[in-house]
Amino acid sequence: MLAALGSAIGLGNIWRFSYVVGENGGGAFILVYVVAVALIGLPLLIAELAIGRRTRAGPVKAFARVGPRLPWRWTGWFGVVGALCILAYYPVISGWVMRYLWVYAFGSVPDAAGLRFVPGFEAYVASPGPSVLWTVLVIVIAGSVVAFGIERGIERASSLLMPVFGMIILVLAGHGLSLPGASHALEFLFIPDWAVLERPVTYLAAVGQAFFSIGLAMGILVAFGSYLPPGINLPRAAIAIAGGDTLVALVAGLIVFPAAFTYGFDPAQGPTLAFVVLPQVFAAMPGGRWVAVGFYLLLLMAALTSVIALLEVLVSLLMAKVGGRRLGAALAATMAALLLALPSALSYSILRRVFAEPLVERMDHVSSNIVLPLSGIAVSLFAGWVWPAAEAVKAAGLPQRWPSWLWLWLLRFLIPLAVALVLLGGLGVFLDNPSVARGLR
Ligand code: TRP
């Protein structure tokens, strides 16, 4: 259970959740998000785990085995594309985390006001050398883990550390609630501003965030399901994963938003939000530097396991399709990841003038709000219509009667329709959505 949670928890809960909530106006978005997790994320999570456990195969093979006819046998490829899209920028954000860890552990600590950190961060992302360096470091570390085949060990170590991470973020949330901006933050997070619901992009952002944070529609959970022992109660495991992941995100919100309001940051500033707000929190805490070291170390672990899992998608694919040894495949995958991530690492420096919106942010939006929803529609139709219902329900280990009825109905009708509508609506607004066109300010 801890290992499963470990694979879901990552930058998505801390970095991405907070900035997406901030961009989309707070409380009403969170409501939509929780509904999306329950009605879309959870049933898909059960479906992916079930397909994996049933076939004991990686995503591409698993789908082809359950639905051998065209075009369904290709369903797993959507996930591969999704994983590659995320691999093209996730290491860059992980690099930010690593750089913060280094600064807190060995660098000159930000002064009491923490203010030096914001310009420091902007200077960092704006200089091509350091951004590329940290990104390369992340990819090389993840690549070595995959090359030597020790990812299960790392996964286990990181899942053992996740409870410690949970404790640190609970302490930080407690500290957040003691800040003067806390009541404003609670209002922002839990009192819905219904006007947000009139923007179709709110729903798309919620669905995209649910996919990203749970790790859905990337084939990863199919692979994960293939390691599940047969005895495990799959629906219960899925509820724990989706619920735990959401809980961690909400707790992270209690760290970021009280601080944002206390120290006067714009919660809608975009992907840099957590990275400029958190240093203020650590600066104001007694012993904050060491809390920061613990926090960034564990966040880095969580981020690295994600990069490892994403690389593993590519490695197992290369080994299956091209053949060859793990070491060679890992080397090729690492090189590919370096090339893929290089443009994103230059987002705020060399490529800043080329794209209106920094490339990392564009990649993040396109992956979560277009690629993953498309893949999710495919998985949902596949599990609902292509997989024989009796077999699917049995593989999922759902009780007969209403839970299995509801699950199938959601997969067949609600999820494909809702996600398709949300996608179309969101894309229409996409073009002139100010939050999409915004760069680093
Ligand atoms: N769910 C992870 C997070 O919240 C992100 C993620 C996306 C991921 N795709 C993944 C993790 C693939 C592992 C594998 O940060």
Side-chain angles (χ1 to χ4, degrees), residues 340-357:
L340 272 175
L342 189 66
S344 314
L346 299 172
S347 296
Y348 299 99
S349 50
I350 293 171
L351 296 180
R352 186 69 187 93
R353 269 154 270 130
V354 182
F355 299 100
E357 179 194 20

Side-chain angles (χ1 to χ4, degrees), residues 7-13 86 90 212-215 218 220 306 309-310:
S7 87
I9 292 172
L11 294 173
N13 306 70
I86 292 176
Y90 199 93
F212 184 95
S213 190
I214 302 174
M218 277 167 280
I220 306 274
S306 298
L310 291 165

Side-chain angles (χ1 to χ4, degrees), residues 31 133 136 159 181 187 206 224 228 235 396:
L31 215 63
L133 180 80
V136 168
S159 61
E187 224 169 84
F224 201 87
L228 279 181

Side-chain angles (χ1 to χ4, degrees), residues 190-371:
F190 298 111
I191 300 185
D193 166 14
W194 301 114
V196 183
L197 297 186
E198 286 165 22
R199 299 167 47 207
V201 80
T202 302
Y203 302 90
L204 183 57
V207 168
Q209 172 63 17
F211 281 123
F212 184 95
S213 190
I214 302 174
L216 286 170
M218 277 167 280
I220 306 274
L221 289 157
V222 176
F224 201 87
S226 73
Y227 307 130
L228 279 181
I232 257 185
N233 181 332
L234 204 153
R236 200 187 296 162
I239 290 173
I241 296 169
D245 186 69
T246 305
L247 202 66
V248 171
L250 289 174
V251 174
L254 295 180
I255 304 173
V256 172
F257 289 101
F261 287 114
T262 302
Y263 302 113
F265 288 101
D266 174 10
Q269 69 173 261
T272 49
L273 180 66
F275 285 89
V276 296
V277 167
L278 288 175
Q280 304 278 340
V281 176
F282 296 123
M285 275 182 116
R289 174 178 190 171
W290 301 109
V291 182
V293 169
F295 174 83
Y296 286 111
L297 186 65
L298 291 162
L299 186 58
L300 180 64
M301 276 297 268
L304 274 175
T305 54
S306 298
V307 179
I308 290 166
L310 291 165
L311 265 181
E312 182 62 38
V313 172
L314 202 53
V315 170
S316 46
L317 202 69
L318 283 173
M319 280 169 38
K321 299 281 161 190
V322 185
R325 300 243 186 101
R326 167 161 286 270
L327 193 63
L331 239 134
T334 305
M335 295 306 283
L338 286 172
L339 285 178
L340 272 175
L342 189 66
S344 314
L346 299 172
S347 296
Y348 299 99
S349 50
I350 293 171
L351 296 180
R352 186 69 187 93
R353 269 154 270 130
V354 182
F355 299 100
E357 179 194 20
L359 193 61
V360 200
E361 303 183 18
R362 169 60 55 91
M363 301 286 302
D364 188 37
H365 277 111
V366 170
S367 320
S368 288
N369 294 356
I370 300 178
V371 181

